[in-house]
Each structure stands twice: as C-alpha cells, then as structure tokens.
Amino acid sequence: MSYPKIPLAQTVIQLCKAKNIKHIVLSPGSRNAPLTIGFTHDPFFTCYSIVDERSAAFFALGIAQNTQHPTALVCTSGSALLNYYPAVAEAFYSDVPLVVISADRPKHLVGIGDGQTINQKDVYKNHILYSANLKLDIKNLPKTSGDDDEPAIIKSIENKLERFLGIKQALQEENEEEINLALNTAIHKLGPVHINVPFDEPLYETVKELSVNPKVITVDASPKKVDSVDLKLCLEDWSDASKKMILVGVNPPNEIEQKWLDELANDNSVIVFTETTSNLHHKEFFPSIDKIIAPLTDAEFTELQPDILLTFGGMVVSKKVKAFLRNHKPKQHWHIDSKKANDTFFCLEKHIETTPNEFFSEFLPKITHFKKSNYKSVWKAVKQKRNDLHKAYLAEIPFSDFKVFDTVFKALPKQTALQIGNSSAIRYSQLFNISKSLQVFCNRGTSGIDGSTSTAIGFAVANKNQTTFVTGDLSFLYDNNALWNNYIPKDFRIIVINNGGGGIFRILPGHKNTENFDQYFETKHNLTAKQLCEMHGLDYKTAHDQTQLNEQLSTFFNASKQPMLLEVFTPSTINDEILLNYFSYIK
C-alpha cells in the first residue's frame, strides 16, 4: 500500500482512521494531492469524488445525517473551501458532524500574490465548532556555519540536529493534539470542524512505509447528569402545572426510548406537539401542528397557552407555533440539549444540559403526583375534528399542490427514508400525518434550498433502505449539479412538484400584485427536469393530473436499472388559494 510522503498528511489520515471516519468526499485539486493519495490508497476508507464543491459538501452532510458520525470533506486551497460554506453553516445549526480538511499553501506563500490562495485560517469562524490550523512539517536540517575547526563543526551540527529534532517533535505533537481535538469535537459535540493543512511541494511523492505513529486521544462521552437541585425544582413545578406542552423539533429516528414516550402520553396534563422532522410517533401525540392551531381565535390561543413548555430537538418548522408561543408565552420554557438552548420564544428559563433520554430517565420515574387536568382531552377533541375536516376538504378540492402532497405521502413505501426539500415542500408536509414507518429529514438548520438534492443523494448512498426526495421545482433546479454524481443508488427516487416558480411567495403574507412580482419574487419559469435526467442518466416520468399521478406512483418505487424522477406539474394560479382556504375550512 502507498502512503503520501508528507508526514503531516499521514498524520491526518491515520487519525481519521483511528476515529473510524470512513466516508471521505474528495473535491479534485492539486494542493490536496497528499490527502487524496492517502485516503484513496487505503481500503479502510470509502471515497467519493464530487467535482462541484458546494454539492460535495451537502452530499457529505447527507451521509453524516444518515450515519450520525463524521464525514470528511477534502479540498484544495483557494475558493474551494468557500464553496463548502453553505453546508458548513447547515451542519452548524443542524448538529451534523462534518470534518472539513482543506489543503493550504505554506504561511510564507500566503498574501504574496500566489494563485489559488486565500486567507484560509479560521475562515468559518462564525459557523464552526473548532478550527485546527496546523503547522507545516519541517523538512530540512539547519545549515552549519563556515567554521574551519572540524570538532567545532561536528559539535555545531550535533547541537543543531538536537534542536531540529526537538522542534520537529514538538510540532508533530502540537499538530496531533489539534487534529485529535477537532475530530473529537465533531464526533461528540455533533457539528462541523475545520482542519487547515499546509503542504509544501512536491505533493505527489509516495512511500511504502508510514513515518508517523500519531497519538490517539479519547474523551469521555457520557451524557451529563442533571443537577439534583435543578431536578427537584423541575419536579415541583411540573407536578403543580395543569397545562404542560412538549414541542419537538428536528430529531433523529429512534432517538427517544419508547417507554418515556408512553409515560408522557399517559399524562392528561401533557400535550406533545411533533413536527414532521421530529420522527416521533404516538397515537396520543399531536402531529400536524399548523392544522391544530392555525384556525384558533385569541381566546382559544389563551386556552391552549401552557404553564410549562418543554422543548427538545433542533429547529422548529412551524411559523404558526412560533408566533403562538411568542404572543402567548408559557410561564416557563425548559429546553433539553447537551450543547445549546435557543431562546426561540423569548421566555427561556432552564437549559437542561443533557440528552432527552438522560433527562427523562432521571425525571419521569420520580413524578409521584399528577395534576388533575383536561388539557389533553380538550385538544384531542379539536384534533379529531380537524382530521375529519381535513379529509372532507381533500375530497372537494381540484388537482393542486395540496392534493399532490397528500397522494405522494400516502404512496411512499413503508420502512423507507423521506428527504424533503425546503420552502413549500416542508411546509406542506406539516399538514399531513406521515407514516410512522418512515424516517424523515430536511435541512432545517439554515432552511436554505441550495443543497437539498445533494443532501438527499448523500443520505441515500449511506442508507440501507430506499430513499425518496420530495421537492419543489426551484429547489431542484437550483441544486441541479447534485445529479453530476456517479454514486446515485438505482432505487433512489425524486419527486419534483413543478408549479412553475416559487409558489410559497403567493402564500406568505404580503402584497401579491406588486410590479414584476412574477419576475423578482415568484420567479416564473418554463423549465423542466427532462433534459437534466437525460444528461445524467435518470429515468424521467411525468404527471399532469390526478389520474396520471396515481398511475405513475403505482410502479414508481419498484426496482429499476437506474434512479428515477417523477415531475408533477400543478396549476400555479390556484395553489395559494386552495392552501389558504384550507385553514378556514377546517375550523
């Protein structure tokens, strides 16, 4: 097996291996050649070459989203690592472990006018958990003086060699510590880290034996225990409250033990609101938050207002629940997270710095007094009424975005993964009860449309079961380089709902008849995915009405020789009206 000759490259690679970081996404370049050679020549690693760096970064994010373990991204110097930035920001806010390893020029060649060179040190400083800026390997022995005295020359050489070896060893140890710290941070704190690695030429030389044996530093990853005093106060307040609301944002599948969910479901003073991306299911819980709260009057909002709001998970999609809890603040807001607590509703009182499982295991068994309450029973009746009206509305409306999302979500095969694009797609998904057998994901850290397709493909590559990506037309077209990818699984499916532009802008509050609204907000277009599918080898299907949609979906998820895309064309002029009328109807 061949190794890069440069010891620093060997060190980075061997420590990635020691930390079990197997998936390596490589962006082609020259300065990163020592890393590319090392990763691709070691069968331990699974390597992917993605040309478009922005797409590569989201592809890596999708793999890490699936595995919940760091994926490494490797790029050359210059603007390459800036193209990673959107995915780095998404990973930062979504707690997805990414390791960005950027090759750099030596310090003395930065800022002198050399090509493909930028200031790479701390380039992600506002959106990174840790930045390791490594030191260049020392290659050459120091020169001797011109002294003619042979014993003196020998002594001088010995002294300089001793200093040289000491400095080299110290640099090696410092670099090892930095790499260990960065990788441990990504693994245990779940987020992006950056390792900037300077290389001097030559870059492509290889050797047959390793010249390094880096120290592997481990850390204690046990979840933090809840402080006994804080736990006592929580128990007292919880037992005294008759209206407790739990709101769950983005949450990995199978994260919370079922016994704790069952205990929460059995408390009549507790209602649990779950979002599509929460991946939590129980017949006593309240999915489709907007369906419940959108039609409420101010008096009904006051009735729903909780005494205690307990939150966990990542970003919350529903703008309506954010507005409700900001205008009708709970007396207390507790957030469970081992790393951070966002004051989303401007009333955060407790940050419980541990995992939800750890908190519930210490908290729920100690609850001995249950406050008599009809809080859940009242809102269960509302939920049932809303669900009945939801079904009636679907039976009345014509073919539209609303109808398409309902049909698609019902057709998805069980025990598969659903990736959802941002903007309209994720908001529509909040209105439907999606099968509990599905794993649901969406890039909600920054809520951007820029890398949804790339993320879905990366996720699918790492996923054992089939993955389906449901998205809008603008999000799909924006990230069309995601299809420039040699690793798309044959069973991967894309459903593009094409309403001819950014339909969400007709739904959001604001004046829809401003001058040039179609051009500058809705961005109307006549593009389709057909030519992209032809170019990248995807099987292309279309549907223009309900009958065609049903026919296509009946075989769409079957085994095939290539990935498949279904483009569903909907009438852009009625979608906003149908959605807005929905909330009036279900009241």
Side-chain angles (χ1 to χ4, degrees):
M1 189 162 67
S2 296
Y3 302 96
K5 185 176 181 180
I6 299 174
L8 186 52
Q10 294 180 17
T11 302
V12 171
I13 294 162
Q14 292 307 305
L15 284 174
C16 284
K17 189 173 184 177
K19 304 291 183 182
N20 201 36
I21 298 172
K22 293 184 175 182
H23 294 281
I24 314 296
V25 180
L26 300 160
S27 298
S30 183
R31 186 63 53 171
N32 57 332
L35 295 167
T36 301
I37 290 167
F39 281 121
T40 57
H41 281 71
D42 191 329
F44 174 83
F45 300 106
T46 301
C47 296
Y48 313 87
S49 178
I50 308 286
V51 176
D52 183 326
E53 283 101 355
R54 186 179 71 179
S55 180
F58 279 107
F59 177 86
L61 184 135
I63 296 174
Q65 204 179 65
N66 179 279
T67 63
Q68 289 295 294
H69 193 71
T71 301
L73 273 162
V74 181
C75 70
T76 190
S77 61
S79 62
L81 73 161
L82 298 181
N83 290 317
Y84 287 167
Y85 211 144
V88 170
E90 176 63 35
F92 179 76
Y93 288 108
S94 286
D95 301 324
V96 177
L98 278 185
V99 177
V100 176
I101 307 173
S102 58
D104 199 359
R105 277 165 166 67
K107 188 175 180 180
H108 67 276
L109 294 179
V110 176
I112 64 163
D114 243 15
Q116 207 168 325
T117 307
I118 64 170
N119 295 317
Q120 296 185 194
K121 181 180 178 182
D122 300 328
V123 73
Y124 303 124
K125 65 179 180 181
N126 291 323
H127 301 93
I128 205 80
L129 296 185
Y130 192 77
S131 293
N133 297 289
L134 306 185
K135 303 288 178 61
L136 186 70
D137 282 324
I138 296 178
K139 290 184 181 180
N140 302 316
L141 288 169
K143 293 179 181 179
T144 60
S145 65
D147 199 326
D148 292 329
D149 185 354
E150 188 173 326
I153 293 173
I154 294 172
K155 186 66 175 175
S156 175
I157 291 172
E158 289 174 346
N159 290 338
K160 289 181 179 180
L161 179 60
E162 186 177 346
R163 288 199 303 273
F164 171 79
L165 294 175
I167 293 170
K168 187 170 184 176
Q169 180 64 27
L171 278 176
Q172 174 70 14
E173 290 175 358
E174 183 181 342
N175 283 334
E176 288 176 10
E177 288 180 8
E178 283 291 285
I179 298 165
N180 271 284
L181 182 52
L183 298 181
N184 287 340
T185 299
I187 293 167
H188 299 299
K189 292 191 175 180
L190 294 181
V193 298
H194 178 207
I195 302 173
N196 194 52
V197 194
F199 292 132
D200 210 348
E201 297 180 9
L203 301 167
Y204 291 87
E205 292 183 335
T206 60
V207 292
K208 294 298 183 183
E209 300 289 338
L210 289 169
S211 60
V212 300
N213 183 25
K215 180 181 179 181
V216 179
I217 302 171
T218 59
V219 295
D220 180 14
S222 303
K224 186 177 178 181
K225 297 288 184 181
V226 182
D227 180 82
S228 58
V229 175
D230 287 341
L231 186 63
K232 183 175 182 295
L233 292 173
C234 286
L235 287 165
E236 290 173 356
D237 290 343
W238 190 263
S239 297
D240 287 342
S242 60
K243 296 194 296 181
K244 282 99 72 173
M245 180 184 292
I246 296 176
L247 174 60
V248 189
V250 176
N251 194 64
N254 308 311
E255 182 82 357
I256 311 300
E257 291 184 42
Q258 188 63 42
K259 62 181 177 180
W260 307 134
L261 301 180
D262 292 340
E263 284 206 33
L264 293 169
N266 288 332
D267 189 337
N268 286 327
S269 65
V270 174
I271 63 174
V272 181
F273 275 141
T274 59
E275 295 216 301
T276 303
T277 51
S278 71
N279 289 294
L280 289 185
H281 301 275
H282 198 288
K283 64 180 182 179
E284 296 293 317
F285 290 175
F286 292 74
S288 308
I289 300 171
D290 289 359
K291 190 193 300 181
I292 301 290
I293 69 172
L296 296 183
T297 64
D298 195 62
E300 289 168 327
F301 275 127
T302 301
E303 186 180 358
L304 181 62
Q305 182 179 9
D307 299 323
I308 296 175
L309 171 68
L310 175 64
T311 58
F312 62 90
M315 298 293 191
V316 172
V317 175
S318 173
K319 295 178 73 173
K320 290 179 171 60
V321 81
K322 290 176 191 173
F324 157 53
L325 291 169
R326 287 168 182 171
N327 293 326
H328 297 79
K329 291 181 175 60
K331 294 175 184 175
Q332 297 185 50
H333 173 202
W334 309 347
H335 185 72
I336 309 170
D337 191 288
S338 57
K339 186 166 63 176
K340 62 188 177 185
N342 294 320
D343 191 8
T344 305
F345 312 108
F346 312 127
C347 56
L348 182 68
E349 182 171 289
K350 288 185 175 71
H351 176 197
I352 302 166
E353 297 182 60
T354 189
T355 65
N357 275 329
E358 180 65 27
F359 175 72
F360 291 139
S361 68
E362 294 188 50
F363 179 70
L364 293 178
K366 293 181 174 65
I367 297 175
T368 56
H369 170 67
F370 291 88
K371 189 83 169 181
K372 187 176 180 180
S373 173
N374 66 347
Y375 189 46
K376 187 170 73 173
S377 59
V378 167
W379 292 101
K380 275 184 70 176
V382 173
K383 180 176 79 168
Q384 184 59 54
K385 178 184 176 183
R386 297 275 196 269
N387 286 339
D388 292 343
L389 290 168
H390 175 93
K391 292 177 184 177
Y393 189 72
L394 277 166
E396 292 185 8
I397 60 175
F399 186 70
S400 58
D401 283 357
F402 198 101
K403 197 108 173 179
V404 169
F405 278 104
D406 175 66
T407 305
V408 166
F409 290 146
K410 286 177 179 174
L412 292 169
K414 293 182 178 179
Q415 309 302 328
T416 61
L418 170 62
Q419 283 273 349
I420 306 178
N422 266 309
S423 203
S424 294
I426 187 62
R427 299 199 181 282
Y428 269 107
S429 75
Q430 295 278 97
L431 303 176
F432 301 93
N433 294 342
I434 293 175
S435 170
K436 66 180 181 181
S437 75
L438 297 174
Q439 297 184 340
V440 184
F441 298 86
C442 180
N443 287 348
R444 289 306 298 176
T446 60
S447 307
I449 68 169
D450 42 355
S452 296
T453 312
S454 297
T455 301
I457 293 172
F459 184 97
V461 166
N463 195 26
K464 294 179 181 178
N465 297 323
Q466 187 175 47
T467 301
T468 300
F469 175 51
V470 178
T471 184
D473 49 301
L474 286 190
S475 180
F476 173 76
L477 293 168
Y478 194 95
D479 192 28
N480 70 77
N481 259 3
L483 303 183
W484 187 10
N485 185 306
N486 295 323
Y487 313 100
I488 306 176
K490 292 178 181 178
D491 65 352
F492 181 63
R493 298 292 181 265
I494 302 175
I495 298 176
V496 178
I497 298 162
N498 189 341
N499 54 25
I504 193 170
F505 290 101
R506 291 195 171 274
I507 298 166
L508 296 174
H511 188 48
K512 309 302 187 298
N513 297 314
T514 56
E515 187 177 358
N516 297 321
F517 178 84
D518 290 357
Q519 181 178 357
Y520 293 113
F521 290 91
E522 194 174 12
T523 54
K524 297 290 289 183
H525 66 86
N526 295 308
L527 300 174
T528 76
K530 182 179 181 181
Q531 285 76 22
L532 287 169
C533 289
E534 290 175 355
M535 182 167 66
H536 295 293
L538 275 70
D539 195 1
Y540 177 69
K541 308 291 183 182
T542 62
H544 293 82
D545 56 38
Q546 190 66 44
T547 301
Q548 290 180 3
L549 178 60
N550 292 339
E551 288 175 354
Q552 292 289 8
L553 289 174
S554 66
T555 58
F556 184 67
F557 301 101
N558 297 348
S560 63
K561 296 181 179 179
Q562 58 196 37
M564 194 177 299
L565 183 148
L566 171 61
E567 189 162 21
V568 186
F569 295 92
T570 62
S572 62
T573 54
I574 64 169
N575 288 319
D576 57 328
E577 182 181 339
I578 288 173
L579 181 60
L580 295 173
N581 287 344
Y582 167 77
F583 295 112
S584 300
Y585 187 96
I586 62 172
K587 184 165 177 59

